[in-house]
Amino acid sequence: MVRGRISRLSVRDVRFPTSLGGHGSDAMHTDPDYSAAYVVIETDAEDGLKGCGITFTLGKGTEVVVCAVNALAHHVLHKDLRDIVSDFRGFYRQLTSDGQLRWIGPEKGVVHLATAAILNALWDLWAKQEGKPLWKLLVDMDPRTLSSCIDFRYITDVLTEEEAYEILQNGQVGKKEREEQILTHGYPAYTTSCAWLGYSDDTLRQLCTAALKDGWTRFKVKVGADLQDDMRRCRLIRDMIGPEKILMMDANQRWDVPEAVEWTSKLAEFKPLWIEEPTSPDDILGHAAISKALAPLGIGVATGEQCHNRVIFKQLLQANALQFLQIDSCRLGSVNENLSVLLMAKKFGIPVCPHAGGVGLCELVQHLIIFDYISVSGSLKNRMCEYVDHLHEHFKYPVIIRRASYMPPKDAGYSTEMKEDSVEKHQYPDGEVWKKLQAAQEN
């Protein structure tokens, strides 16, 4: 039963000094500090439940997202939660169509990241009040209600509300069996944790050995800074994992279009399943050209973690510009917008392999991809969800990985809630962790 008027919205700048160990490093982001704008929403309901939401950042700039959250807060405060979720499309549009704030968007950049954090908190609160993990809330929702959460503006040339309803209705067939399968076996994952660009060869070998021992069969390596270095590292990993296991490569937007084709062609001997983010995330036709050029080599193109919104995804699909679609739980406008992208991917027959390289992203996106399998795609072919083994200990309901698969969360909510002690210690700039680092630098 949904209840309560929203009485408080707070947002904090939480940063983890991951750059010190090279964790998360790639060809474009050499020193990321995994961070989040962390939103907590409270209501006047007697249950005392709080909705927690995050959007992922890399350190500097988190304070800008915090400002944007505060600028949007008036759209949420003093609203009845029942009114929000009973017209979630209307509320989503209100949040993304603020007559002044949309000028610094619209539905992209900082203002959209802030929108995601707020909406993620609202979905967490709704799921907690219903006593269900978010994936189960979505799976149990009837198709009409689900499609009513989506803003179809700008995508009706590809996906109408009736088409969305039909896809969801068709997804009801075999749903119970798929849910039982996922509860037993989990959702297949791949690891990025072994091969960040800033890792030494020794670290890479050590982490790869441990991952193989733990049963991992799908690995991703960061590329794009130096071709000879990429060749050496890819050879090292391919030799370690053998010819049968799956290898992916990620250039993190490093190349121009011709360079992407040339560079990836030289790495083709290592048999990558895909090259991820080979060029600018906004270059739809560039991705299409790269896809066409690499097809004879059997290499797909994957992208999506920095796609602004459903419109960019629509065009990528229309242009045959990607073979693997990578949703992000915090880049798009939360569950609402991700639903529209999952449905478009289903219509085009493109597998969804979510991005999860960041603090809290594994916790969130597992819900979306489990829902996708049970209620939308109904398939595990060519599908897997990214996993990075960093910072899960700071979450109240961390992900559970067994046999290289995500086990479906059982706790109510969106798995977004962080431990209060961790938030306080890592709050920037006044948390204990940052004060100590500042003191060490001064000495």
Side-chain angles (χ1 to χ4, degrees), residues 248-375:
M248 288 82 72
M249 297 177 182
D250 186 357
N252 291 93
Q253 313 159 31
R254 183 64 186 247
W255 303 316
D256 279 5
V257 173
E259 189 182 16
V261 174
E262 185 184 349
W263 200 304
T264 307
S265 299
K266 287 175 180 170
L267 298 175
E269 65 176 279
F270 305 109
K271 298 284 187 286
L273 176 66
W274 74 52
I275 181 67
E276 184 173 328
E277 288 201 303
T279 192
S280 163
D282 300 340
D283 190 354
I284 288 113
L285 297 181
H287 277 87
I290 295 165
S291 290
K292 190 176 179 183
L294 296 180
L297 298 173
I299 302 171
V301 167
T303 196
E305 72 183 73
Q306 288 209 322
C307 280
H308 293 303
N309 50 48
R310 63 198 179 281
V311 182
I312 299 286
F313 276 114
K314 177 188 79 168
Q315 293 179 52
L316 285 164
L317 290 164
Q318 287 173 311
N320 296 318
L322 78 178
Q323 287 68 53
F324 301 91
L325 187 150
Q326 297 175 305
I327 58 167
D328 184 284
S329 53
C330 298
R331 173 71 57 179
L332 293 180
S334 187
V335 178
N336 311 69
E337 193 167 30
N338 270 299
L339 287 173
S340 69
V341 176
L342 293 175
L343 291 162
M344 286 192 287
K346 169 67 175 175
K347 183 176 174 180
F348 281 84
I350 297 294
V352 176
C353 300
H355 169 247
V359 61
L361 296 186
C362 296
E363 275 70 19
L364 274 73
V365 86
Q366 61 178 336
H367 291 269
L368 301 179
I369 201 60
I370 288 168
F371 160 76
D372 178 63
Y373 170 64
I374 296 170
S375 297

Side-chain angles (χ1 to χ4, degrees), residues 83-227:
D83 293 341
I84 289 174
V85 302
S86 64
D87 180 23
F88 222 150
R89 177 187 303 155
F91 180 76
Y92 176 92
R93 192 172 284 195
Q94 180 189 335
L95 208 55
T96 56
S97 301
D98 181 296
Q100 295 180 7
L101 283 172
R102 80 179 300 278
W103 193 256
I104 56 169
E107 294 184 78
K108 63 172 79 80
V110 168
V111 75
H112 212 41
L113 293 174
T115 298
I118 291 169
L119 290 169
N120 284 339
L122 289 169
W123 279 99
D124 180 56
L125 182 56
W126 186 7
K128 282 174 177 171
Q129 288 198 353
E130 297 288 359
K132 296 178 180 182
L134 181 98
W135 68 265
K136 183 65 172 161
L137 176 75
L138 297 173
V139 164
D140 289 349
M141 213 178 278
D142 71 90
R144 276 283 172 230
T145 307
L146 266 173
S147 56
S148 76
C149 296
I150 299 168
D151 187 352
F152 290 92
R153 182 160 57 178
Y154 310 134
I155 60 170
T156 54
D157 51 329
V158 157
L159 184 76
T160 64
E161 184 166 0
E162 275 312 305
E163 284 177 300
Y165 172 73
E166 198 176 308
I167 292 169
L168 291 165
Q169 195 63 41
N170 292 340
Q172 300 291 304
V173 180
K175 191 169 86 167
K176 189 170 181 290
E177 292 76 12
R178 289 192 295 275
E179 184 173 338
E180 285 169 3
Q181 184 194 340
I182 221 82
L183 285 166
T184 305
H185 301 291
Y187 195 93
Y190 73 85
T191 178
T192 305
S193 302
C194 301
W196 298 114
L197 204 65
Y199 282 177
S200 67
D201 287 2
D202 283 346
T203 300
L204 200 149
R205 281 193 196 92
Q206 183 187 333
L207 292 172
C208 227
T209 302
L212 287 164
K213 199 176 287 184
D214 288 340
W216 290 92
T217 59
R218 306 171 189 91
F219 297 79
K220 190 165 81 181
V221 58
K222 297 289 183 176
V223 297
D226 178 271
L227 180 59

